[in-house]
Amino acid sequence: MKTYPECIPCMFEQLLRSARLADLTEEKTFDVIRSFSKKLAYSSFSLSPPEIAVQLYREIKRLSKNDDPFRAVKRENINKALALFDEMRKLIAESADKLDFALRVAAVGNIVDFGALKSFEISREMLDNLEINKLHWEIDELREDLRKSSILLIIGDNAGEAVFDRALIEAITRLYSIQKVYYAVRGAPVINDVTFDDATYAGVDSVAEIITTGSDVPGIVLNECSVQFVELFRTADVVISKGQGNFETLHGCERKVYFLLKVKCGVVAKITNAGIGDILLFSNKKAPAKGGL
Amino acid sequence: MKTYPECIPCMFEQLLRSARLADLTEEKTFDVIRSFSKKLAYSSFSLSPPEIAVQLYREIKRLSKNDDPFRAVKRENINKALALFDEMRKLIAESADKLDFALRVAAVGNIVDFGALKSFEISREMLDNLEINKLHWEIDELREDLRKSSILLIIGDNAGEAVFDRALIEAITRLYSIQKVYYAVRGAPVINDVTFDDATYAGVDSVAEIITTGSDVPGIVLNECSVQFVELFRTADVVISKGQGNFETLHGCERKVYFLLKVKCGVVAKITNAGIGDILLFSNKKAPAKGGL
């Protein structure tokens, strides 16, 4: 999707949040504001929001002299998620509809502010009562596609979320005769998105082959990705894309992609014809979009 | 006050709101974003937020080819306020403490979203129960100063608010032997701020001499103002400044100024040591600031 005027204040909010997390001084925060403003002045707004916002994350990395300023936050999130892993696994195993439940678990990863997440908050009731948008929960079509598939590609989003995705991958490989699962991560650290190290630390390597996109954009911009990733993206039987950043960059792409995400802003709500806070599972071949904004 | 990093996303939010009100197309809105970003890239952040934000309002005026894109909105707000004027006047006249009550009425002008304001909502209870910050309600000091004054300058803020200020001016001139009241307005239209025409339409000319600052900044930047305004600002016995924009630009100035405002953001809350939503009346000679952010 392209960038909408509404995305711009949001990018500056992200800039502030990230500068704070990277412990930038006020002076350096203003340097990022200046440098990002300069980029913005000459940006094409037909680019997706993550393609534009990547400039500010690159600048924060440069000025904090830290290639992964969110490492500690990500590790903390992964540790919190790992502490819940056995419980989630058990809940999935006990479910009547294991795929549906495992998708909800993976969606929870995209919901929860780990700062607020406590063990008892992940309960069957919570997951049963997730605000799933019934119109955009294309689980039957996904089931059908998984039945016929041998190669599955899951595109990760946030670092802590990878633990929840691991539970989803386990469930899928038990239910379907998938031969190979790939888990795609960012090619370099960007915000709190999952990297190779994060995914390995989250234990995803025990259930999937972790591959990187080859790009530091917090989304999937194919012409910025490695040839290997693009090849896999084109040939995998099923692609599941997690989160808003991947949706913003992949929505409208040629191949069929299943998007599993929580709607976090008004722009994506309007494009998907859903409400803010809704959990969606839908493919772009039966896209709920009604011609964009 | 200087500009804080937190002010930047807020300026872009203002940009969007203003572009919508001025009926700019998406393309022209992006033009304002580009042009304002360019200015921002080379801004000194020791300037106050209104001094920086004025650039975006100038650009919106230029691109909408309309020197006063908010005229209709302002007229509507003034009309709504005028419909309440007699009721407010009566409430003030019936009050035990007329100055206190008239200040609350004038503060209400800075509170109310006129879209939501209905006649019955302006009641004695509402005004009695205004969330006035008791620590920053320096009414006794203001009384003392008004008793000794012959020239009073009130610096207006929003257009609809001018009607409420008119009620305050009436009350003050009845209570104190002020010889001359000046009501300062923006030198040219900027957002929904009060101009000479707006103040006249609001009937302020019947209780005060309306003068312009000579500047289109939505605040008071003395070296952008006319010599006449600066002279008056320096020599008036009492100056009452309404709203956040005037506070942001005048806070820290040399002469004593009474600020009457509703705290609308976290930055001003921190500087004034108050809460968001609080109504404050305080002077910068007994400033509640604790050394800024």
Side-chain angles (χ1 to χ4, degrees):
Chain A
M1 66 180 246
K2 61 169 219 147
T3 292
Y4 292 84
E6 291 80 356
C7 303
I8 310 299
C10 191
M11 285 181 196
F12 279 94
E13 286 288 0
Q14 283 172 44
L15 187 158
L16 289 198
R17 267 199 305 274
S18 307
R20 257 180 242 125
L21 269 171
D23 263 336
L24 288 195
T25 60
E26 183 174 290
E27 201 181 322
K28 282 193 174 172
T29 304
F30 275 128
D31 287 343
V32 184
I33 289 171
R34 277 197 194 90
S35 145
F36 183 58
S37 299
K38 220 174 284 176
K39 297 272 185 184
L40 212 52
Y42 300 100
S43 272
S44 157
F45 296 110
S46 62
L47 292 175
S48 64
E51 277 169 285
I52 293 178
V54 70
Q55 304 288 351
L56 76 90
Y57 298 120
R58 283 178 188 156
E59 195 62 9
I60 286 172
K61 281 199 269 183
R62 194 180 69 80
L63 285 169
S64 66
K65 290 184 181 150
N66 183 345
D67 191 48
D68 195 0
F70 299 86
R71 196 173 188 278
V73 172
K74 290 191 293 181
R75 283 295 147 106
E76 202 189 321
N77 289 351
I78 296 172
N79 286 336
K80 283 183 183 160
L82 281 172
L84 294 168
F85 185 66
D86 287 337
E87 200 173 333
M88 289 188 290
R89 218 181 204 167
K90 196 170 149 268
L91 287 172
I92 296 170
E94 290 167 356
S95 304
D97 187 338
K98 293 179 181 56
L99 180 66
D100 184 280
F101 205 86
L103 286 165
R104 287 167 187 255
V105 165
V108 161
N110 197 233
I111 291 175
V112 182
D113 170 356
F114 282 92
L117 179 66
K118 288 176 201 132
S119 170
F120 61 83
E121 287 178 293
I122 287 261
S123 63
R124 176 165 301 278
E125 276 108 322
M126 176 198 166
L127 290 159
D128 279 342
N129 295 320
L130 268 187
E131 285 177 61
I132 283 172
N133 186 311
K134 303 282 180 196
L135 287 175
H136 306 318
W137 192 250
E138 299 176 8
I139 189 166
D140 291 331
E141 195 176 333
L142 176 61
R143 268 192 244 276
E144 193 51 39
D145 281 341
L146 286 173
R147 243 192 298 273
K148 295 178 293 188
S149 298
S150 56
I151 294 177
L152 166 65
L153 167 63
I154 294 185
I155 303 172
D157 186 20
N158 303 328
E161 200 174 330
V163 176
F164 297 73
D165 297 339
R166 181 180 154 196
L168 172 64
I169 296 168
E170 269 192 9
I172 289 177
T173 49
R174 255 181 222 139
L175 291 164
Y176 302 92
S177 53
I178 306 281
Q179 279 164 23
K180 182 91 186 176
V181 180
Y182 291 95
Y183 189 77
V185 298
R186 307 298 177 219
V190 59
I191 17 171
N192 63 337
D193 282 17
V194 62
T195 61
F196 193 92
D197 281 356
D198 301 325
T200 307
Y201 186 72
V204 178
D205 56 337
S206 66
V207 294
E209 181 171 336
I210 303 167
I211 53 152
T212 91
T213 61
S215 158
D216 66 345
V217 174
I220 303 295
V221 180
L222 289 170
N223 65 9
E224 291 236 3
C225 291
S226 67
V227 175
Q228 290 77 5
F229 174 80
V230 173
E231 189 59 24
L232 178 63
F233 178 77
R234 292 227 164 100
T235 56
D237 297 310
V238 172
V239 175
I240 298 175
S241 156
K242 300 272 325 271
Q244 247 195 221
N246 293 325
F247 167 75
E248 289 171 23
T249 44
L250 282 177
H251 175 64
C253 77
E254 277 185 29
R255 76 148 291 158
K256 182 176 185 177
V257 174
Y258 283 94
F259 298 103
L260 180 59
L261 71 143
K262 178 185 170 72
V263 178
K264 289 179 176 164
C265 74
V267 171
V268 170
K270 213 157 179 181
I271 289 176
T272 56
N273 197 23
I276 292 178
D278 284 3
I279 300 289
L280 312 180
L281 172 71
F282 67 96
S283 81
N284 53 349
K285 291 299 164 195
K286 204 199 242 179
K290 289 199 167 170
L293 281 181
Chain B
M1 67 180 246
K2 61 168 217 144
T3 292
Y4 292 84
E6 291 80 356
C7 303
I8 310 299
C10 192
M11 286 180 196
F12 279 94
E13 287 287 0
Q14 284 171 45
L15 187 158
L16 289 198
R17 267 198 305 275
S18 308
R20 256 177 244 127
L21 270 170
D23 264 335
L24 289 194
T25 59
E26 183 174 290
E27 202 182 323
K28 283 193 173 173
T29 304
F30 274 128
D31 287 343
V32 184
I33 289 171
R34 278 198 194 90
S35 147
F36 183 59
S37 298
K38 222 175 283 177
K39 298 271 184 187
L40 212 52
Y42 299 100
S43 272
S44 157
F45 296 109
S46 63
L47 293 174
S48 64
E51 277 169 284
I52 293 178
V54 70
Q55 304 289 351
L56 75 90
Y57 298 120
R58 284 176 188 159
E59 195 61 10
I60 285 172
K61 280 200 268 185
R62 194 180 69 79
L63 285 170
S64 66
K65 289 184 182 151
N66 183 344
D67 193 48
D68 195 359
F70 299 86
R71 197 173 187 279
V73 172
K74 290 192 293 181
R75 283 294 146 108
E76 201 189 322
N77 289 352
I78 296 173
N79 286 336
K80 283 183 183 162
L82 281 172
L84 294 169
F85 185 65
D86 288 336
E87 199 172 335
M88 289 188 288
R89 218 181 205 168
K90 193 169 152 268
L91 287 173
I92 295 170
E94 291 167 355
S95 305
D97 187 338
K98 293 180 181 54
L99 181 65
D100 185 281
F101 206 85
L103 286 165
R104 287 166 188 255
V105 166
V108 161
N110 197 234
I111 290 176
V112 181
D113 170 355
F114 282 91
L117 180 66
K118 289 178 199 131
S119 171
F120 61 84
E121 288 179 292
I122 288 261
S123 64
R124 176 163 303 277
E125 277 110 321
M126 178 197 165
L127 290 159
D128 279 342
N129 294 319
L130 267 187
E131 285 177 60
I132 282 171
N133 186 312
K134 302 281 180 199
L135 287 175
H136 305 319
W137 191 249
E138 299 176 9
I139 188 164
D140 291 331
E141 196 176 335
L142 176 62
R143 270 191 243 279
E144 193 52 38
D145 281 341
L146 286 173
R147 244 193 298 276
K148 297 178 291 189
S149 298
S150 57
I151 294 177
L152 166 64
L153 167 63
I154 295 185
I155 303 172
D157 186 20
N158 303 329
E161 201 173 330
V163 176
F164 296 73
D165 297 339
R166 181 179 154 195
L168 172 65
I169 296 169
E170 268 192 9
I172 289 178
T173 48
R174 253 180 224 141
L175 291 165
Y176 302 93
S177 53
I178 306 282
Q179 280 164 25
K180 182 91 186 175
V181 181
Y182 292 95
Y183 189 76
V185 298
R186 307 296 176 223
V190 59
I191 17 173
N192 61 337
D193 282 17
V194 63
T195 61
F196 193 91
D197 282 355
D198 301 325
T200 308
Y201 186 72
V204 178
D205 56 337
S206 65
V207 295
E209 182 172 336
I210 303 166
I211 54 153
T212 92
T213 61
S215 158
D216 67 344
V217 175
I220 303 295
V221 180
L222 289 170
N223 66 10
E224 291 236 2
C225 291
S226 67
V227 174
Q228 291 78 0
F229 175 80
V230 173
E231 191 57 24
L232 178 63
F233 178 77
R234 293 228 164 96
T235 56
D237 298 310
V238 172
V239 175
I240 298 175
S241 155
K242 300 270 326 270
Q244 245 195 224
N246 293 324
F247 167 76
E248 289 172 23
T249 44
L250 282 176
H251 176 62
C253 77
E254 276 184 31
R255 75 148 293 157
K256 183 177 184 176
V257 173
Y258 284 94
F259 297 103
L260 179 59
L261 72 144
K262 178 185 171 70
V263 178
K264 289 180 175 165
C265 74
V267 171
V268 171
K270 214 158 179 179
I271 289 175
T272 56
N273 199 21
I276 292 177
D278 283 3
I279 300 289
L280 312 180
L281 172 71
F282 67 96
S283 82
N284 52 350
K285 291 299 164 195
K286 205 197 239 181
K290 290 200 164 166
L293 281 180

